[in-house]
Amino acid sequence: MGRIQEVGWVTAGLVFWAGTCYYIYRLTKGRAQSVRRLGRNGSRVKMEAVAGVQNQTLATSESQAATKSQVETLPGTRGKARRKPCTCRCKREANMDPRELEKLICMIEMTEDPSIHEIANNALYNSPEYPFSHEVIRNAGRISIIESLLNNPYPSVRQKALNALNNISVAAENHRKVKTYLNQVCEDTVTYPLNSNVQLAGLRLIKHLTIISEYQHMVTNYISEFLRLLTVGSGETKDHILGMLLNFSKNPSMTKDLLIANAPTSLINIFNKKETKENILNALSLFENINYHFKRRAKVFTQDKFSKNSLYFIFQRPKACAKKLRVLAAEYSDPEVKERVELLLSKL
């Protein structure tokens, strides 16, 4: 009972701490996006998460106590006991369901308190999906804890983890830590179900991280996949991808990486009156930037360096693109779009 009682006192302290922190937060930080986020998640999420961790830790403690009691005195050991193998399936019983994991992520995201992170680690350690040993996770920070859930079998948990990393990476000191996982996020995102919430969360994080030019070269191997998604994705999927590619196109050192990427012939269908105005304008800006850098370095970019399916040939042989743009200008009534289309046509 000593261990269980100790856990109870610790959890009671955490609940009190969570309520106090929330009260102070509302007094001092009750504005803008943080308020909206806490308004949605708030102290209720924190307390429920702590309560979930309490149940998790108590279950583990009870299982450990049961295991200790299942001992066997062997002949010749003079009263010394040897522990039997655990048959209580304590890890399976202590598993956390997706909703508990999502609450746990919220709690980790909203605090930098190492003691909370340690409790979260201990709770996650009981899950068979958690990839690290107890020794490894003991000193892990909150970013490492959340990153470990990117491979969770539940899409809702992966989505929550991606959103948490996106929010945490807003702080400059966390940006470099989060970008360590950029390749994994790209690899997973392009294989997630098309237009799913978890795919959108991945695209949102990639777009946010690649605002910084030094991180853009880390994702060059996935540009072809991003162009493919741009031709088949929903309006929101296209919005994230266009924002990401637009960041790339502003960086002259990324021009060749964009031009060598495989591009479906249907890519120019983005210039369609059925697309949102924002997506059309971003696509026009994307093509303007690429075309500008392409023309400046045309002598460097010779045809033999590019495959027939590469983006290079859309700009090297722009007739099909120009035809699509003229149709858009004729059918789209917005004067800003018409002006931007005419500007791009004059430069192709």
Side-chain angles (χ1 to χ4, degrees):
M1 287 298 293
R3 174 58 180 164
I4 297 175
Q5 187 177 28
E6 178 187 348
V7 172
W9 279 110
V10 170
T11 305
L14 286 174
V15 173
F16 176 78
W17 172 87
T20 303
C21 286
Y22 178 62
Y23 177 74
I24 295 172
Y25 190 96
R26 288 294 299 272
L27 287 177
T28 60
K29 300 285 186 180
R31 297 179 184 178
Q33 184 176 2
S34 296
V35 164
R36 290 194 296 271
R37 188 172 66 200
L38 278 174
R40 291 192 299 267
N41 299 324
S43 62
R44 176 183 61 80
V45 173
K46 231 175 190 180
M47 289 182 181
E48 289 179 357
V50 172
V53 175
Q54 176 193 25
N55 294 335
Q56 194 74 14
T57 312
L58 285 173
T60 304
S61 299
E62 290 170 354
S63 297
Q64 289 174 344
T67 303
K68 288 180 180 178
S69 67
Q70 295 176 4
V71 295
E72 165 180 57
T73 303
L74 299 177
T77 58
R78 296 184 180 179
K80 293 181 180 180
R82 187 180 70 179
R83 184 177 301 174
K84 284 184 177 180
C86 176
T87 58
C88 60
R89 299 184 180 180
C90 53
K91 285 208 171 188
R92 183 176 300 180
E93 292 173 358
N95 285 349
M96 303 178 75
D97 65 31
R99 291 184 62 185
E100 289 173 333
L101 286 169
E102 291 169 30
K103 292 174 185 175
L104 191 66
I105 292 171
C106 286
M107 183 178 72
I108 297 169
E109 179 189 346
M110 288 192 289
T111 180
E112 297 183 4
D113 190 327
S115 63
I116 301 298
H117 300 166
E118 183 178 358
I119 291 175
N121 264 329
N122 289 335
L124 287 170
Y125 176 64
N126 291 306
S127 173
E129 291 85 13
Y130 200 58
F132 305 129
S133 67
H134 193 270
E135 289 73 20
V136 171
I137 67 174
R138 182 172 296 166
N139 296 317
R142 61 175 178 166
I143 293 175
S144 297
I145 300 171
I146 295 173
E147 184 273 336
S148 70
L149 294 169
L150 292 178
N151 293 322
N152 189 274
Y154 299 106
S156 62
V157 175
R158 294 198 299 270
Q159 178 192 346
K160 198 75 175 179
L162 287 165
N163 287 337
L165 287 176
N166 190 49
N167 294 334
I168 291 173
S169 68
V170 171
E173 63 270 19
N174 293 328
H175 215 96
R176 291 186 178 276
K177 296 177 184 177
V178 175
K179 67 100 174 180
T180 304
Y181 311 110
L182 188 52
N183 278 330
Q184 179 191 345
V185 172
C186 288
E187 184 73 29
D188 294 341
T189 298
V190 297
T191 59
Y192 287 144
L194 181 64
N195 304 325
S196 61
N197 289 332
V198 66
Q199 185 176 69
L200 292 172
L203 291 172
R204 191 179 300 112
L205 176 58
I206 298 167
K207 180 177 70 172
H208 174 71
L209 290 175
T210 53
I211 290 175
I212 298 179
S213 58
E214 65 179 287
Y215 300 161
Q216 294 173 0
H217 292 283
M218 297 177 63
V219 304
T220 53
N221 291 337
Y222 304 97
I223 293 177
S224 295
E225 285 297 318
F226 294 144
L227 291 174
R228 179 186 64 82
L229 290 175
L230 185 58
T231 64
V232 296
S234 64
E236 188 174 0
T237 298
K238 291 176 181 178
D239 174 65
H240 291 311
I241 294 175
L242 283 168
M244 181 201 316
L245 294 175
L246 192 54
N247 290 335
F248 298 170
S249 71
K250 295 174 183 177
N251 182 0
S253 66
M254 286 291 291
T255 303
K256 184 175 180 180
D257 292 305
L258 287 166
L259 291 174
I260 64 176
N262 289 332
T265 55
S266 58
L267 180 65
I268 59 175
N269 289 340
I270 191 67
F271 301 120
N272 189 300
K273 66 178 181 178
K274 294 182 180 180
E275 296 290 343
T276 65
K277 178 181 176 180
E278 183 179 5
N279 281 351
I280 291 174
L281 291 176
N282 282 337
L284 288 168
S285 296
L286 172 66
F287 273 60
E288 286 173 10
N289 292 342
I290 296 176
N291 185 66
Y292 172 76
H293 295 299
F294 170 73
K295 291 290 180 65
R296 286 192 64 186
R297 304 175 65 188
K299 294 181 179 179
V300 178
F301 299 136
T302 56
Q303 291 188 21
D304 59 349
K305 293 182 180 180
F306 301 91
S307 69
K308 294 181 179 179
N309 298 322
S310 66
L311 185 62
Y312 168 87
F313 285 98
I314 290 181
F315 293 92
Q316 175 66 15
R317 303 167 186 171
K319 288 185 179 180
C321 182
K323 182 179 179 180
K324 197 73 178 177
L325 288 168
R326 292 189 183 96
V327 172
L328 177 64
E331 296 180 345
Y332 210 84
S333 58
D334 188 280
E336 182 182 6
V337 171
K338 286 179 176 289
E339 182 181 352
R340 292 285 302 280
V341 168
E342 294 298 332
L343 180 63
L344 179 57
L345 280 170
S346 67
K347 294 179 178 181
L348 283 175

